[in-house]
Amino acid sequence: MQLKIMPKKKHFSAGRVPLILFLCQMISALDVPLDSKLLGDLVQPPTITQQSPKDYIIDPRENIVIQCEAKGKPPPSFSWTRNGTHFDIDKDPLVTMKPGSGTLVINIMSEGKAETYEGVYQCTARNERGAAISNNIVVRPSRSPLWTKERLEPITLRNGQSLVLPCRPPIGLPPAIIFWMDNSFQRLPQSERVSQGLNGDLYFSNVLPEDTREDYICYARFNHTQTIQQKQPISLKVISAKPSKERPPTFLTPEGNESLKEELRGNVLSLECIAEGLPTPIIYWIKEDGTLPVNRTFYQNFKKTLQITQVSEADSGNYQCIAKNTLGAVHHTISVTVKAAPYWISAPQNLVLSPGENGTLICRANGNPKPRIGWLTNGVPVEIAPDDPSRKIDGDTIIFSNVQERSSAVYQCNASNEYGYLLANAFVNVLAEPPRILTSANILYQVIANRPALLDCAFFGSPLPTIEWFKGTKGSALHEDIYVLHDNGTLEIPVAQKDSTGTYTCVARNKLGMAKNEVHLEIKDPTRIIKQPEYAVVQRGSKVSFECKVKHDNTLIPTIMWLKDNGELPNDERFSVDKDHLVVTDVSDDDGGMYTCAANTTLDSVSASAVLRVVAPTPTPAPVYDVPNPPFDLELTNQLDKSVQLTWTPGDDNNSPITKFIIEYEDAMHEAGIWHHQAEVSGTQTTAQLTLSPYVNYSFRVMAENSIGRSVPSEASEQYLTKAAEPDQNPMTVEGLGTEPDNLVITWKPLNGFESNGPGLQYKVSWRQKDGDDEWTSVVVANVSKYIVSGTPTFVPYLIKVQALNDVGFAPEPAAVMGHSGEDLPMVAPGNVRVNVVNSTLAEVHWDPVPLKSVRGHLQGYRIYYWKAQSSSKRNRRHIEKKILTFQGNKTHGMLPGLQPYSHYVLNVRVVNGKGEGPASTDRGFHTPEGVPSAPSSLKIVNPTLDSLTLEWDPPSHPNGVLTEYTLRYQPINSTHELGPLVDLKIPANKTRWTLNHLNFSTRYKFYFYAQTSVGSGSQITEEAITTVDEGKMAGILPPDVGAGKVRAVNPRISNLTAAAAETYANISWEYEGPEHVKFYVEYGVAGSKEEWRKEIVNDSRSFFGLKGLMPGTAYKVRVGAEGDSGFVSSEDVFETGPAMASRQVDIATQGWFIGLMCAVALLILILLIVCFIRRNKGGKYPVKEKEDAHADPEIQPMKEDDGTFGEYSDAEDHKPLKKGSRTPSDRTVKKEDSDDSLVDYGEGVNGQFNEDGSFIGQYSGKKEKEPAEGNESSEAPSPVNAMNSFV
C-alpha cells in the first residue's frame, strides 16, 4: 500500500489539476498523455508549442534563430517555406535545423549577410495524424542608420519668443528612442515651458536667457543593436533685451483647429498638444460627450501628452486639448478612431472523439473591420483539401458527425482583416480506448479532522468515461449532497470527520469497458497546545520557566521544539528542556525576547509564544518612560464568514502600563493603503473577536497606548478575504428632480466598494406617481448614480426607491422618497395689479396670486419689472432700462424704492418658478409726485467790474418737478476771511443769467445758489469771485501789465501745492494769486520728525523748485512761503521718494560706442551747417519740408532759421504772445546764470515728467499735447541719456 499524506492546508483548485485529467472534456485544451509506461500505444496529432514572433527583428551581428517547436505522437517531422515556396535547407550550408526540433539556425557570423535571409517564413509540423503550421514569421534585420550630414546655423532669438528645435532622426528598425542631452551627456531639463514632443523635436513655449547654450544635441538610441547616433549640436542664443509682449497661446503641434488620430485596439493611445505663449500656457484635456477612463488615463510630458492604455472601440470620439494662460485660451479637437486587428472571442480547441461521436470546432473572432474567417486542414485550404463526409463547414463552425479514425486531422482557423491576422491550430483526434485509471492503486490518505480530504482518480478513455465513487465493499455510489465530484475524477470531502475513515473505490466506465481503483482514508485528531507559555518579567540573574503541554492523535508522534525569536535556542547550558518545560537560569539581558513552543506531526503543526522581559535588579535606575513599542506576531484564527479572531503579542510598555489596544483594518480590494478604526480592547487582552463585513480583503494592525501616548502601528497581519453577501444597505441621498418638463432625474449617492458586500454591484431604480394607482416601474443599472425617466407629465409628485443588489442578492427593501418631475414655465400672469404711490420715491404694488396648478413648478416668488416711460422721440434714441425686483414666496405685494420724482412709470408682474418666469401681467402705469430739485448743473461768474459781477448757470439736471424760482444768497469776505452779512435774492425760474450791481470794488464774495419747486428747495452750489480794483485808488500798486478785466484776490494766496518725487530729488510746484515780484522759499523736512524745517530760497518769482539730496524711500513734508512783511505760507503737502535701486543704469556717456556715435552725429551736423551756410549766402533756402518728408519721425522737428521757433508743424497757439503776468522769460528758457535749480540735471530720473524749465508738462498751458521745446540757451550740456532717448 502506498501512503499519501494530505497537505496541512490544501485548498483544491481545478487549475492545479494536471492537464492529463482534462483530456476527456470535449471542448478544452486536450492532450493525450505521452507516458509510455501507461499509454504507450496512443497517438496524437502535432501541436505547435513554441514559435518566433510574427514580426521578428533580428540583430545582424548574431546568428539568426527562427524557432519552431511541436509535440505529437509519433514525434512530428518539420519543413519550412520561405516567401510562400518550399525552403530547402539542405542546399544552404549556412542553415541547419536543430535535432528533434523544427528550429532553424542560420550561421551568418562566419559568412553571409542578414539581409540575404529577409523574408516570410512558415513552419509545418507533420505526423501520420495531421499537420500543424506556425504563423507567418516576417524576418527583418534591425537597422541603425547614421544621421545625414547637415549644416546647422546658430539660432538667435529675443527673450520670450517661441522655438522648435527639430530632431528628425534617421529611420531605423525598430524606431529609435529619442532624447536631448548636452556635450557632457547630461539630459537637458524639461518643464511646462520646455519639453520634447512625440516626434523627438524640442519645443520651447517661450525662451529665456538661461536657455542660451551651444550644445543642444538630439540622440537616437537603437536598442536592438545597442547603438546611439548623435545629431550635430545646435547653438541657441537668447538676447536678454526687453521681453517680448505677452501673448495668448497658439499651438506649435498639432496644426489647425482639428486633426485625426487612428489607433488599434489594445495599444496605448497617445495624443499630444504643445502650445506656445507668454506666460507659459497650461494644457487641459477633456473628451467631448464623455469622460476620460479613470484607471487607464495617464498624463505625460507635463500634461502635454494624454495616454489611454488598453484602448478599445469605446474610446473613439473627439478629444479636446485646451491651452490657457492669463491672456486667453485656444483649443484643438482630435478625432480618434479605434480600429482593431482580429482578436479571439472563442479560439478553436482540440477535440478527442471516439468513432461514431459528434463534435464541433468553433472559431469566433472580432475586429474592426470585421475579420474574415478561413479554414485550413493540415495546412491546406479546406476548399481544396480532400473531402471528409463527416465534416460540414458553417462559417465560423465545423460540425463533425459520425467521425471515424480517418477523420483525425489538424485544422487551422485564420481570422484576418487589414490590420492583422490570427492563426490557431486545433486537432481532431479520433480514438477508441477503454477506460484507464492513471492514479496508483491503494494510496493511503491521512487527513486531520475537520479539514477537507481530496481523493484522486486520474483517468483516460475514449469515449469519455463516467466516474463513480463508492465507500466500502458494498456501499452505494456517493452523491454530491455531502461530497464534491470534480470533473477530473477527484472526490472531495469538504469537512472530513472520524466516520469518514475507510476504503473508497473509483470506477470509470465507457462503452468499451470499465476500470476501477481503491484508495484508503484515515482521519486523525488535530494537535493542540493545552497549556501555553505565558508572558514573564524577571530580574537579571534570576530563573524563568516556560510550560508547554501538547495533546495529539495517538497514532502520530509529535516533535516538540523551542525557538527564541523564531530561531534556535542559544547553545548555552543555562537553557534546559524537559518534557513540557523550558528553563533558563541566570537570566541576562540578552535572554529577553519571544520564546515559541512548536509541536509538529507529519500532518499538522501548532505553536504558541510568550515574551520574556528582563529587568534590572533592585535598586533600579530611574525608569525611562515612553510610548509602548508596537505589538507584533499578529495571527488570524477562527476564520468565519463574518468574524475572525485576531491574536498579537504586546511590545515593551516602556515602564508605563498599556491601557488599551487599538485595532485598525485595511481593505486591500477597495481602498488599498487606507486604514480604518475597527475596535479597541483593554490593555490586558492580547486577542479580539472582530466582526467583519462581506467581500472585503482584510488586513489588520494593532497599536498600543499608555499614559505617555500611542505606539506606532504594528506590521500588518496576513490578508483575509471574506465571502460575498447581499448588500445590507441601500444608497443614501436619493432625490428626484426633473431637468426638463417631461422627465424625472433620479439621483443617489452610490455605495462604495466596502459597502457593496460582493461583486457585480448594481442598483434597482423604481418609481411611480404618488397620487396614482400605477404599478412600480423598475430598471437595473450599474456604475452610475443617476437615471433619467423620460415622458413624464409636468411637475407631478413621484415615489422613488433605489435598491442595491450584487451577484449574491438584493439589499433590504428601501423606503420610498418623494420627488417631482420637471418644471415648465408658469402659464398664468398675476391679475388685478394695483399701485399705491407712497411718496415721490416709493410706491407699493399689490396683485392677486396665480393658481398653484398654473405655476407648474416650485413657486419661488413674484418678479416686478418697472421702467420710466419715455416720450416717443426719446424712445427712439435711447434704450429703455428696465429694473427688476423679486419677492420671495407666495407674496401679494411689494415696495418699489428709489423712484424718481415727477415721473411716469410703467410696471408689470410675473410669477417665477424653478424653470423661469411666466407671462407678464398687463402693463400698469403710475406717476410719482414732485420732489425737490438737484443742484444747478453749473455756476460761473463772468465779466467782473468794479462794482458788479455777472452769474451764469445751467438748470438742475434733475428738476424733479416744475421749477418755481431760483434763490441766490451771497456775502462778502474781508481780508481776515471773515464773512459779511448775507443777502437773499429771488430769481425767476426761466433765467440762466443775472448781474449783481452796486458791489464793493476789490472785494471777494461767496455765492450760494439753489433751485426750488413747489415741494421745496434743492441742493445748493457755491462759488467765489472778486470784483476788480479801482485803478485810481490803487495807483502804484499794480504793475502796468495787469489787465483791467482780471479777477484778483485782495490778499495773496498760495494754492495747489504739489510734489513729484524720484529716488533722491523732488520737483515742487504751486499756484500763486497776488502781487507780482514776490520772493518765495521752500521749507521741507522728514514727515513725522521733530527736526527743524530746512529752508531753500527760490530765485526770482518762479512757481517751481527742485529739491536735491533726498533719502530714497523716505516720506517728506513740504510747504512754500513768501519773504517780506506780507509773508504767508501754503498748507503742507507730504510726498515719498522712490525706493533705492539695486543697480544703476550704466552711464552710456562713458561707453566707447556712444562716444563714437556722438562724434559721427557731430560731424554730420557740422556738414549740414556748412551746406546751409553756403546755400543761404547764395540766396537759397534750406529745404525743411523735403527733409521732414524724408524723415517722418515726429521726434526730429526742423526749426525756423529766423526766430528759432519750430517750423511747418508749429501749432497756431505757439505763435500767441505770453499771457500777462507770466513769470517765465519771453524766450521760454531758463538760463544757467538765472538759476542753478534747472532740472536738466535730473533728466535721467524724471523720464519726461518735467519740461526743461522745471514745470509740469501741460500743467498750466491748458493743452493736452506736449509743448515743443524751443532753443536751449543754457551753457550746460544736456544729459547724454536724454540726448540718446531723443536721437533717432
Side-chain angles (χ1 to χ4, degrees):
M1 179 181 295
Q2 180 180 358
L3 175 64
K4 184 167 185 179
I5 299 173
M6 298 299 291
K8 297 175 183 178
K9 290 185 179 180
K10 179 176 180 181
H11 300 281
F12 177 77
S13 171
R16 297 174 57 187
V17 179
L19 193 61
I20 184 174
L21 303 183
F22 286 88
L23 179 66
C24 305
Q25 301 178 37
M26 182 167 293
I27 301 178
S28 60
L30 301 182
D31 269 332
V32 174
L34 300 183
D35 189 338
S36 57
K37 295 181 180 179
L38 295 176
L39 302 170
D41 55 340
L42 294 184
V43 294
Q44 177 175 310
T47 301
I48 300 290
T49 59
Q50 191 173 1
Q51 57 184 317
S52 294
K54 294 179 182 179
D55 190 5
Y56 187 25
I57 300 175
I58 61 172
D59 189 336
R61 302 168 300 180
E62 299 178 354
N63 288 340
I64 303 172
V65 178
I66 310 176
Q67 291 185 328
C68 180
E69 304 290 341
K71 65 178 180 179
K73 198 167 186 181
S77 60
F78 297 89
S79 62
W80 285 86
T81 62
R82 179 184 173 195
N83 298 328
T85 60
H86 177 67
F87 182 35
D88 192 348
I89 63 176
D90 296 331
K91 293 184 178 180
D92 191 333
L94 300 182
V95 181
T96 59
M97 185 182 296
K98 290 184 178 181
S101 164
T103 298
L104 295 182
V105 178
I106 304 175
N107 185 9
I108 61 172
M109 296 182 66
S110 58
E111 59 178 310
K113 295 183 178 179
E115 290 78 3
T116 306
Y117 294 94
E118 284 191 65
V120 181
Y121 293 78
Q122 189 173 42
C123 170
T124 301
R126 185 185 308 274
N127 69 9
E128 64 186 38
R129 286 274 165 159
I133 61 175
S134 70
N135 293 321
N136 284 331
I137 302 170
V138 180
V139 176
R140 295 181 295 169
S142 62
R143 299 180 179 89
S144 52
L146 298 174
W147 241 293
T148 56
K149 295 294 184 180
E150 55 181 333
R151 179 178 179 83
L152 300 176
E153 297 294 336
I155 300 172
T156 302
L157 295 176
R158 283 193 305 110
N159 186 6
Q161 289 184 286
S162 63
L163 173 65
V164 180
L165 295 183
C167 179
R168 294 193 286 269
I171 299 175
L173 185 70
I177 298 173
I178 306 301
F179 50 93
W180 288 80
M181 296 196 298
D182 58 15
N183 274 331
S184 302
F185 297 99
Q186 300 298 315
R187 284 188 179 269
L188 297 178
Q190 298 190 22
S191 63
E192 291 180 339
R193 184 179 62 86
V194 183
S195 60
Q196 177 182 318
L198 295 176
N199 63 352
D201 294 349
L202 192 62
Y203 292 85
F204 295 75
S205 295
N206 49 79
V207 296
L208 297 176
E210 54 261 35
D211 295 326
T212 298
R213 62 190 313 143
E214 296 180 351
D215 55 350
Y216 283 94
I217 306 174
C218 182
Y219 290 86
R221 183 175 68 209
F222 298 91
N223 283 346
H224 220 77
T225 56
Q226 296 297 312
T227 58
I228 297 179
Q229 306 291 358
Q230 172 185 335
K231 185 183 179 75
Q232 290 294 323
I234 301 176
S235 174
L236 170 63
K237 180 179 181 181
V238 179
I239 301 174
S240 57
K242 181 179 179 181
S244 298
K245 183 179 179 181
E246 291 189 345
R247 58 189 182 274
T250 57
F251 283 112
L252 296 173
T253 182
E255 298 178 350
N257 295 328
E258 296 180 350
S259 59
L260 302 177
K261 175 72 174 182
E262 186 176 285
E263 191 54 79
L264 289 182
R265 179 182 185 271
N267 290 352
V268 176
L269 172 64
S270 295
L271 305 179
E272 178 182 60
C273 281
I274 301 178
E276 65 91 15
L278 191 65
T280 302
I282 304 298
I283 303 296
Y284 303 90
W285 291 90
I286 60 173
K287 183 181 181 184
E288 298 178 4
D289 302 326
T291 57
L292 298 173
V294 176
N295 297 324
R296 296 186 292 112
T297 301
F298 302 94
Y299 296 101
Q300 304 291 340
N301 197 16
F302 308 96
K303 293 197 75 173
K304 300 176 187 178
T305 303
L306 170 69
Q307 288 188 338
I308 300 177
T309 60
Q310 290 297 317
V311 68
S312 66
E313 290 85 343
D315 296 317
S316 297
N318 291 334
Y319 292 78
Q320 193 175 98
C321 61
I322 304 167
K324 182 184 297 183
N325 67 9
T326 55
L327 272 69
V330 64
H331 69 272
H332 182 93
T333 301
I334 306 175
S335 296
V336 174
T337 302
V338 178
K339 299 292 187 179
Y343 57 91
W344 290 119
I345 296 176
S346 175
Q349 303 295 321
N350 295 334
L351 281 179
V352 176
L353 301 175
S354 64
E357 282 191 325
N358 303 326
T360 57
L361 286 179
I362 300 175
C363 176
R364 288 179 183 160
N366 202 357
N368 185 11
K370 186 75 174 178
R372 300 176 300 275
I373 302 296
W375 288 97
L376 299 88
T377 178
N378 296 327
V380 178
V382 72
E383 294 81 6
I384 60 176
D387 189 31
D388 184 353
S390 65
R391 178 184 66 216
K392 179 183 179 182
I393 298 178
D394 184 9
D396 58 6
T397 303
I398 300 180
I399 303 171
F400 297 94
S401 57
N402 193 24
V403 296
Q404 302 301 320
E405 187 173 347
R406 63 176 179 275
S407 300
S408 297
V410 181
Y411 288 85
Q412 290 83 33
C413 173
N414 186 356
S416 62
N417 65 12
E418 59 189 273
Y419 297 104
Y421 73 91
L422 294 173
L423 179 69
N425 290 278
F427 63 69
V428 176
N429 196 11
V430 181
L431 296 173
E433 291 294 329
R436 307 184 189 192
I437 303 296
L438 307 181
T439 300
S440 300
N442 294 317
I443 293 178
L444 174 62
Y445 293 91
Q446 293 182 336
V447 178
I448 296 296
N450 298 318
R451 294 185 182 179
L454 299 174
L455 309 182
D456 294 334
C457 182
F459 65 93
F460 175 75
S462 181
L464 177 66
T466 60
I467 301 297
E468 288 183 306
W469 280 90
F470 300 88
K471 182 181 179 184
T473 56
K474 297 182 180 180
S476 59
L478 303 180
H479 300 289
E480 295 197 14
D481 51 350
I482 299 177
Y483 303 90
V484 179
L485 302 177
H486 293 277
D487 292 339
N488 64 349
T490 297
L491 173 68
E492 178 181 356
I493 306 173
V495 182
Q497 303 292 339
K498 279 289 188 178
D499 58 3
S500 301
T501 299
T503 300
Y504 292 80
T505 304
C506 168
V507 178
R509 293 187 178 90
N510 68 9
K511 64 181 181 181
L512 299 179
M514 181 268 288
K516 64 180 180 179
N517 186 41
E518 289 184 352
V519 295
H520 308 282
L521 176 63
E522 290 182 355
I523 306 300
K524 306 294 185 181
D525 291 327
T527 305
R528 293 181 298 145
I529 297 178
I530 58 176
K531 178 64 175 177
Q532 298 185 3
E534 297 180 350
Y535 173 73
V537 178
V538 299
Q539 293 183 358
R540 189 182 310 118
S542 61
K543 172 183 174 182
V544 66
S545 175
F546 293 104
E547 184 178 8
C548 179
K549 289 186 177 181
V550 177
K551 184 178 181 179
H552 56 88
D553 190 276
N554 295 330
T555 62
L556 300 177
I557 301 175
T559 301
I560 308 298
M561 179 180 295
W562 285 90
L563 305 173
K564 180 180 183 297
D565 296 329
N566 295 323
E568 294 183 358
L569 290 176
N571 186 15
D572 191 330
E573 60 183 10
R574 296 181 299 109
F575 291 80
S576 60
V577 178
D578 60 15
K579 180 179 179 183
D580 298 326
H581 292 82
L582 166 66
V583 179
V584 183
T585 59
D586 191 16
V587 174
S588 65
D589 290 337
D590 293 338
D591 297 333
M594 183 177 67
Y595 289 83
T596 302
C597 165
N600 299 292
T601 69
T602 54
L603 297 181
D604 64 349
S605 63
V606 291
S607 65
S609 300
V611 172
L612 170 63
R613 189 158 68 92
V614 181
V615 297
T618 55
T620 59
V624 177
Y625 298 96
D626 200 355
V627 299
N629 291 347
F632 56 93
D633 193 22
L634 275 64
E635 182 179 5
L636 298 179
T637 57
N638 297 337
Q639 298 174 355
L640 303 177
D641 289 349
K642 292 190 176 182
S643 68
V644 70
Q645 180 172 288
L646 175 65
T647 305
W648 63 91
T649 301
D652 194 336
D653 63 9
N654 291 323
N655 301 308
S656 178
I658 296 174
T659 56
K660 64 179 177 180
F661 291 99
I662 299 95
I663 303 169
E664 294 182 335
Y665 74 89
E666 175 199 29
D667 180 4
M669 182 185 302
H670 304 111
E671 294 180 307
I674 301 176
W675 291 89
H676 303 275
H677 183 270
Q678 173 75 24
E680 292 183 6
V681 298
S682 168
T684 60
Q685 290 184 230
T686 58
T687 62
Q689 193 72 25
L690 306 178
T691 302
L692 308 180
S693 294
Y695 199 58
V696 176
N697 196 6
Y698 281 98
S699 293
F700 298 97
R701 68 182 186 185
V702 183
M703 293 174 286
E705 187 174 295
N706 61 12
S707 60
I708 307 300
R710 183 176 294 182
S711 73
V712 298
S714 68
E715 294 292 329
S717 71
E718 62 178 304
Q719 292 185 344
Y720 176 47
L721 176 62
T722 55
K723 291 184 178 179
E726 65 275 2
D728 49 24
Q729 66 183 41
N730 287 301
M732 306 293 289
T733 320
V734 178
E735 293 181 349
L737 182 66
T739 58
E740 298 294 337
D742 60 348
N743 76 5
L744 171 66
V745 179
I746 303 173
T747 60
W748 59 92
K749 180 182 178 182
L751 302 182
N752 58 36
F754 183 82
E755 297 166 339
S756 66
N757 284 6
L761 177 63
Q762 295 177 298
Y763 302 98
K764 179 183 178 183
V765 184
S766 307
W767 67 92
R768 70 175 176 86
Q769 288 191 25
K770 178 176 180 293
D771 300 327
D773 297 329
D774 296 342
E775 296 292 329
W776 289 92
T777 303
S778 301
V779 296
V780 176
V781 295
N783 300 321
V784 296
S785 60
K786 179 174 70 174
Y787 183 76
I788 300 176
V789 181
S790 302
T792 64
T794 301
F795 197 65
V796 171
Y798 274 84
L799 293 179
I800 302 165
K801 297 189 295 185
V802 179
Q803 184 179 19
L805 66 146
N806 59 21
D807 291 349
V808 179
F810 286 83
E813 184 69 20
V817 299
M818 191 175 76
H820 283 84
S821 57
E823 300 179 63
D824 204 347
L825 294 177
M827 297 186 297
V828 178
N832 193 21
V833 178
R834 291 97 61 199
V835 181
N836 176 28
V837 178
V838 179
N839 55 41
S840 61
T841 61
L842 181 66
E844 184 176 15
V845 184
H846 291 262
W847 60 88
D848 291 344
V850 300
L852 289 180
K853 287 189 177 180
S854 69
V855 177
R856 299 200 292 180
H858 295 285
L859 175 63
Q860 294 189 355
Y862 289 85
R863 189 168 291 162
I864 300 178
Y865 284 74
Y866 64 100
W867 62 94
K868 190 175 178 181
Q870 303 285 342
S871 63
S872 60
S873 60
K874 291 184 178 180
R875 192 179 301 116
N876 293 334
R877 299 194 307 267
R878 181 180 176 187
H879 175 70
I880 298 176
E881 179 183 358
K882 293 185 178 182
K883 296 184 179 180
I884 303 172
L885 277 179
T886 302
F887 301 92
Q888 303 291 335
N890 195 15
K891 290 194 175 181
T892 58
H893 69 279
M895 306 297 287
L896 300 184
L899 303 177
Q900 187 170 332
Y902 202 62
S903 301
H904 178 59
Y905 280 89
V906 180
L907 63 81
N908 57 49
V909 186
R910 313 176 191 201
V911 67
V912 182
N913 65 11
K915 187 70 173 178
E917 299 175 350
S921 67
T922 305
D923 289 351
R924 180 73 63 186
F926 64 95
H927 291 269
T928 54
E930 284 188 284
V932 297
S934 63
S937 300
S938 66
L939 176 62
K940 296 184 293 184
I941 292 93
V942 298
N943 299 332
T945 66
L946 288 174
D947 61 350
S948 68
L949 292 170
T950 300
L951 286 72
E952 293 181 352
W953 64 88
D954 291 324
S957 58
H958 298 289
N960 293 338
V962 178
L963 296 181
T964 58
E965 62 183 3
Y966 292 99
T967 298
L968 173 63
R969 307 171 70 192
Y970 63 95
Q971 57 189 150
I973 306 174
N974 62 18
S975 60
T976 60
H977 303 289
E978 294 178 348
L979 297 174
L982 195 62
V983 179
D984 280 5
L985 180 63
K986 303 295 183 179
I987 300 175
N990 61 349
K991 298 292 186 179
T992 58
R993 181 185 178 95
W994 195 264
T995 301
L996 295 175
N997 297 309
H998 309 298
L999 303 177
N1000 297 328
F1001 71 89
S1002 188
T1003 301
R1004 179 182 296 275
Y1005 284 89
K1006 186 166 186 178
F1007 298 93
Y1008 312 89
F1009 190 64
Y1010 55 88
Q1012 288 179 291
T1013 64
S1014 60
V1015 176
S1017 302
S1019 302
Q1020 68 180 14
I1021 185 172
T1022 63
E1023 188 57 86
E1024 294 184 15
I1026 306 173
T1027 55
T1028 58
V1029 179
D1030 187 335
E1031 295 185 7
K1033 295 183 179 181
M1034 300 297 292
I1037 298 177
L1038 296 177
D1041 61 345
V1042 177
K1046 195 78 171 181
V1047 178
R1048 281 292 175 193
V1050 175
N1051 294 318
R1053 182 174 65 169
I1054 295 176
S1055 60
N1056 290 341
L1057 176 64
T1058 57
E1063 183 179 338
T1064 59
Y1065 54 87
N1067 191 60
I1068 312 301
S1069 61
W1070 59 90
E1071 291 184 1
Y1072 167 71
E1073 293 181 3
E1076 300 293 338
H1077 308 294
V1078 176
K1079 292 290 186 179
F1080 297 102
Y1081 63 86
V1082 176
E1083 291 184 321
Y1084 68 99
V1086 177
S1089 173
K1090 295 182 179 180
E1091 66 179 15
E1092 294 184 358
W1093 293 82
R1094 284 176 275 181
K1095 187 174 182 179
E1096 298 284 348
I1097 303 299
V1098 180
N1099 291 337
D1100 297 329
S1101 57
R1102 295 177 301 157
S1103 59
F1104 63 90
F1105 187 79
L1107 295 177
K1108 305 178 183 177
L1110 303 181
M1111 294 293 292
T1114 305
Y1116 285 89
K1117 58 185 178 180
V1118 66
R1119 66 187 181 189
V1120 177
E1123 297 280 356
D1125 297 334
S1126 59
F1128 53 89
V1129 295
S1130 67
S1131 59
E1132 292 183 17
D1133 189 21
V1134 177
F1135 66 90
E1136 184 173 353
T1137 55
M1141 302 299 292
S1143 60
R1144 302 296 295 168
Q1145 182 177 353
V1146 176
D1147 188 357
I1148 59 174
T1150 63
Q1151 303 296 306
W1153 64 269
F1154 179 79
I1155 295 173
L1157 180 62
M1158 290 297 102
C1159 291
V1161 172
L1163 180 61
L1164 179 61
I1165 293 174
L1166 179 61
I1167 294 173
L1168 290 175
L1169 289 176
I1170 294 172
V1171 172
C1172 292
F1173 182 78
I1174 295 173
R1175 295 192 62 177
R1176 185 179 179 115
N1177 288 341
K1178 292 181 180 181
K1181 186 175 181 180
Y1182 185 69
V1184 175
K1185 181 63 178 174
E1186 295 175 7
K1187 298 298 291 182
E1188 290 169 357
D1189 293 341
H1191 301 280
D1193 193 329
E1195 296 291 342
I1196 305 179
Q1197 299 182 358
M1199 300 182 67
K1200 292 185 179 179
E1201 297 176 352
D1202 50 358
D1203 60 0
T1205 61
F1206 284 90
E1208 300 297 324
Y1209 293 106
S1210 176
D1211 194 291
E1213 293 188 21
D1214 293 338
H1215 302 292
K1216 295 179 182 179
L1218 292 174
K1219 293 183 180 181
K1220 293 183 178 181
S1222 171
R1223 292 177 298 279
T1224 306
S1226 60
D1227 61 356
R1228 303 176 70 184
T1229 62
V1230 178
K1231 298 182 179 179
K1232 179 67 177 179
E1233 59 270 28
D1234 292 340
S1235 172
D1236 59 356
D1237 296 326
S1238 172
L1239 290 180
V1240 171
D1241 296 336
Y1242 303 99
E1244 179 184 352
V1246 296
N1247 282 334
Q1249 292 182 12
F1250 311 103
N1251 285 331
E1252 286 187 9
D1253 64 355
S1255 62
F1256 286 95
I1257 296 174
Q1259 183 172 354
Y1260 306 117
S1261 67
K1263 296 181 291 183
K1264 296 181 179 179
E1265 297 180 359
K1266 182 179 178 181
E1267 294 272 358
E1270 300 195 7
N1272 187 351
E1273 299 180 6
S1274 173
S1275 61
E1276 183 175 339
S1279 166
V1281 177
N1282 288 341
M1284 191 61 200
N1285 289 339
S1286 62
F1287 179 77
V1288 180

